[in-house]
Amino acid sequence: QVQLVESGGGLVQAGGSLRLSCANSGRTFSSLGMGWFRQAPGKERDFVAAIRWSDGSTSYADSVKGRFTISGDNAKNTVYLQMDSLKPQDTALYYCAFRLDFITRTRQSFGYWGQGTQVTVSS
């Protein structure tokens, strides 16, 4: 069984940094890549960043470009999200998932979601 587990969330002041981690605690899963999404209360689960295993290419939501960095290890089924210059609007529950196809950058193209890790940025 595949089971992704996120960690590294917490409370940080605006301008601070956090590093999120996501690891597969179950059987190894062969995927096209991995990604991070976030969901604030009452809002949709939005794309944050993704990494493609074949060439290591990355993509980011415009709102985090230049501040967040995604990295990972395909063989270990792990992905990380370095978050710098955090803003109060980054406050959300952050989820990781495996990329299942390249059709979209929405949650429909990702699967095997973790339970999420809370990030709260105070002003």
Side-chain angles (χ1 to χ4, degrees):
Q1 182 177 352
V2 175
Q3 185 171 5
L4 293 175
V5 179
E6 302 95 339
S7 61
L11 173 64
V12 64
Q13 288 188 333
S17 299
L18 283 174
R19 179 177 170 84
L20 304 184
S21 299
C22 170
N24 180 11
S25 63
R27 63 175 176 83
T28 300
F29 182 75
S30 180
S31 69
L32 299 173
M34 295 185 75
W36 288 95
F37 284 68
R38 66 186 182 187
Q39 187 168 17
K43 296 190 175 181
E44 296 291 316
R45 189 173 300 186
D46 293 329
F47 171 81
V48 174
I51 184 168
R52 181 189 297 224
W53 295 137
S54 61
D55 59 5
S57 60
T58 58
S59 60
Y60 298 91
D62 288 343
S63 59
V64 306
K65 201 170 293 183
R67 300 188 298 121
F68 291 10
T69 304
I70 188 171
S71 61
D73 186 326
N74 183 18
K76 296 181 179 180
N77 276 182
T78 58
V79 67
Y80 308 97
L81 187 67
Q82 177 66 40
M83 306 186 296
D84 299 317
S85 302
L86 283 162
K87 304 175 181 180
Q89 51 263 47
D90 294 319
T91 295
L93 192 58
Y94 283 70
Y95 298 90
C96 66
F98 286 111
R99 192 171 188 110
L100 305 180
D101 61 59
F102 291 119
I103 298 173
T104 74
R105 275 202 333 187
T106 68
R107 58 186 301 179
Q108 282 71 26
S109 291
F110 291 78
Y112 298 98
W113 298 89
Q115 294 300 304
T117 185
Q118 179 67 40
V119 172
T120 303
V121 184
S122 63
S123 57

